[in-house]
Amino acid sequence: MPDVIREIERKYDAAADTGLPDLHALPGVHTVAPTGPRTLSAVYWDTADLRLAAESITLRRRTGGSDEGWHLKLPVATPQSTPGTTVRDEHHHPLGEEPAAPPEPLAALVRSRTRHRPLLPQLRLVQERTALALFDADGRPLAEVGLDRVHAARLPDDGTGTPADWTELEAELGEFGDLTLLDAVDDALRAAGARRSAARSKLHRALAETGTPAPEPEDPPHPRTAGDVALRYARRQVEALVRLDPQVRCDVHDSVHRMRVATRRLRSCFRTCDRLLDRAATDPLRDELKWLAAELGVDRDREVLTARLADGLSALPPQQLLGPVAERLDAFSAHRRSGSRARLGDVLDSDRYLGLLESLAALLDQPPLLERAVRAPGKPFRRALARDFDRVAAHVGEALAADEGDERDRALHDARKAAKRLRYAAETARPVLGAPAKEYAAHVAELQQLLGDHQDSVLAREALLELAAEAAASGEPSFTYGVLHERERELARGYEARVPEAWRAVAPGGRCPLV
């Protein structure tokens, strides 16, 4: 995958005769080193309808300067995302020859946005840059403050666009800088006459000033009807799928899990809201979302299983560790991981997955609302919650009545899946029912977690039997796997003993408190 750098910066409008101010007195700054002038030339790529720019994503091929090459910048939501501060992950790729298309590793990271639409050169930006590099007493880079005189022209250069010129200042944190320094730079630049830029980026300003502004994201209207509530929740999950796609491709920690959760939330929303949204439109999407969740689950389930087995192994005293148990567990995990990661990459590049994203976008653009969707949201969502609650109650009752063993395990697994749907239904209804829905979803989440821990124990015991058989076939001791198996059995009994109490929190007085 491409190299990644976290970029934290602020931009300022400046007059044409602006110069760089004296920054020697800033806190923590020991050395100020002038750099430049440098000429930086970049071609920005996007779809014809500027899908990347609409989401504040930039993809460019830059020549000149120390970081020439391909750059893809993806917005990041962090505590550092304060007003006026842009935080993005910048993915780098070598320059290569003059291309007919962006390099595949970067194109893949925006495929959830572009889907089947080609990336084309849209704009050329040429900057004449002078800058001040700020260092601490140990020579470590704190920040760079640059003065850019910018010339922008649309591509192709067919005479239809209007070139634009402007001057701006940019303050970007270095590896050892912090927001306190960025605030001090802000004060110095404002005192010198600069003002915060209203544009989201150079690209957005260039598009606007050359005659084709980027589409602005639209905030969904405040939900007034039951259909509004359902679509608002669905839209957030679709946005999460699209946003998490590049993180999954880059193997960012927990990204597979979060993408899988968004998939399940969306699927549950369509089921809970099946009297508001036409099932003829949503049922095929639910089938495809089930497929996607299963594909994502191959890798996520491996992560959870491996961590659980490793934790169990680390809890055993040395005298119970017989044979190369840790090595066999590592090999067991690595084999599964290798296959699942390769398969997941193929899934995210498949026509089936990209078609699902297209269909979800089309549904949000032209929602298949039923007659009940125009009603006030209170009654429809209470009815949906009552229906989902009854399903959980039936499975929990079946589990509590079943004998220990496979029958109870299956019933608890069914109860977990039903509890997950009830939790998501409560989340969907939160704009309607307010704080009680949030609190109730938390109670259901606790039950779901308990039931999930039980199911993880079931899967761990199955894996341990498989590992024990492999060890025995290789002439290794299988004693440790048996110890771990019994440990998991005791953990499962503990989970089962806590189910009645967790259920009482979800069903006080035997009913759902939201209906």
Side-chain angles (χ1 to χ4, degrees), residues 75-287:
V76 177
T78 74
Q80 296 163 326
S81 302
T82 56
T85 303
T86 302
V87 183
R88 295 185 289 186
D89 277 344
E90 185 173 316
H91 300 255
H92 287 192
H93 193 275
L95 195 61
E97 299 179 359
E98 190 71 30
E104 172 58 23
L106 298 186
L109 295 180
V110 295
R111 191 157 290 139
S112 63
R113 273 91 171 184
T114 61
R115 299 192 276 278
H116 294 295
R117 292 159 184 78
L119 288 163
L120 305 169
Q122 301 290 345
L123 187 84
R124 184 183 300 277
L125 259 176
V126 179
Q127 303 165 232
E128 295 296 333
R129 165 167 285 196
T130 55
L132 298 174
L134 312 183
F135 300 90
D136 66 11
D138 296 323
R140 299 179 302 180
L142 299 177
E144 181 175 278
V145 181
L147 175 65
D148 293 326
R149 306 192 190 281
V150 185
H151 175 77
R154 291 302 308 271
L155 296 173
D157 188 9
D158 56 7
T160 58
T162 303
D165 297 273
W166 70 88
T167 301
E168 70 176 35
L169 289 157
E170 178 181 289
E172 181 177 345
L173 282 183
E175 182 180 357
F176 296 93
D178 57 26
L179 287 178
T180 301
L181 175 60
L182 201 59
D183 289 338
V185 171
D186 183 90
D187 292 339
L189 295 180
R190 287 172 179 264
R195 60 189 183 278
R196 289 279 186 91
S197 175
R200 285 186 274 165
S201 66
K202 278 187 177 68
L203 175 61
H204 282 85
R205 181 167 183 174
L207 289 170
E209 297 204 10
T210 56
T212 311
E216 290 292 330
E218 295 184 7
D219 291 330
H222 182 75
R224 292 182 173 83
T225 67
D228 291 340
V229 173
L231 291 172
R232 188 184 184 92
Y233 186 83
R235 182 172 285 105
R236 286 204 301 268
Q237 306 319 313
V238 174
E239 290 170 351
L241 284 177
V242 171
R243 184 180 66 254
L244 288 164
D245 176 292
Q247 296 183 34
V248 171
R249 293 175 186 269
C250 291
D251 203 12
V252 173
H253 173 69
D254 205 39
S255 58
V256 171
H257 171 61
R258 288 182 289 136
M259 190 176 188
R260 191 184 188 191
V261 168
T263 302
R264 286 174 162 174
R265 279 179 167 147
L266 185 56
R267 187 168 182 266
S268 179
C269 173
F270 288 154
R271 182 65 184 90
T272 297
C273 301
D274 60 2
R275 298 182 184 182
L276 307 175
L277 303 173
D278 189 353
R279 290 187 60 173
T282 60
D283 277 0
L285 294 179
R286 289 188 72 245
D287 291 342

Side-chain angles (χ1 to χ4, degrees), residues 74 109 137 141 160 255 299 330 359 363 379 394 398:
L74 297 171
L109 295 180
T160 58
S255 58
D299 199 59
D330 287 343
S359 296
L363 179 137
K379 191 173 181 179
E398 180 184 350

Side-chain angles (χ1 to χ4, degrees), residues 39 42 67 249 267 362 378 424 432-433 483 490 505:
T39 300
D67 65 342
R249 293 175 186 269
R267 187 168 182 266
Y424 296 154
V432 182
L433 304 179
V483 173
E490 287 303 312

Side-chain angles (χ1 to χ4, degrees), residues 226 375-383 432-433:
R375 299 177 183 175
K379 191 173 181 179
F381 278 97
R382 285 189 172 89
R383 284 181 172 175
V432 182
L433 304 179

